[in-house]
Amino acid sequence: MPFGYCIVSATHPASRAVFNAVISIGHTGMNQNQYVAHLEQLIAQWDLTAGGNPEDWANELHKYAQAAWLDYDNDVEEDYYDAEIEVVDVRLALAGLRLAVLLNESGR
């Protein structure tokens, strides 16, 4: 499976929005190494940290998902992509930081 794609196995309608957002990474034209470098740059630029807990993270992401929601009969247009891709990139950068913290803590 190419980088930037995932399989979402869920019945909740919000899973469609997440799936579409993750697939849109392929739209950047970056390869895996370039995209990782891009996320690392965002981490430094935005001074992102992995603070909080999983409940905080879920509530935070839920607010972004509500703001970006598209009904099923709407197509994802280029304007929508342009408006939302930075949110997707920052959320993925934070997810990587947060996963690293959880994995490090689980090894103690």
Side-chain angles (χ1 to χ4, degrees), residues 15-71:
S15 66
R16 178 177 174 260
V18 172
F19 180 71
N20 287 338
V22 172
I23 286 181
S24 70
I25 295 164
H27 191 74
T28 67
M30 292 183 229
N31 66 33
Q32 181 176 355
N33 292 333
Q34 292 168 327
Y35 192 72
V36 169
H38 171 68
L39 293 182
E40 289 172 342
Q41 185 178 37
L42 283 177
I43 290 167
Q45 177 184 346
W46 287 58
D47 196 26
L48 298 176
T49 62
N53 61 55
E55 182 180 352
D56 296 334
W57 307 336
N59 288 327
E60 176 185 290
L61 186 57
H62 181 71
K63 290 177 189 176
Y64 284 102
Q66 286 178 312
W69 180 260
L70 285 177
D71 290 326

Side-chain angles (χ1 to χ4, degrees), residues 1 15 20 31 37 70 84 88 91 96 103:
M1 183 176 317
S15 66
N20 287 338
N31 66 33
L70 285 177
E84 299 299 333
V88 172
R91 299 293 105 200
L103 291 173

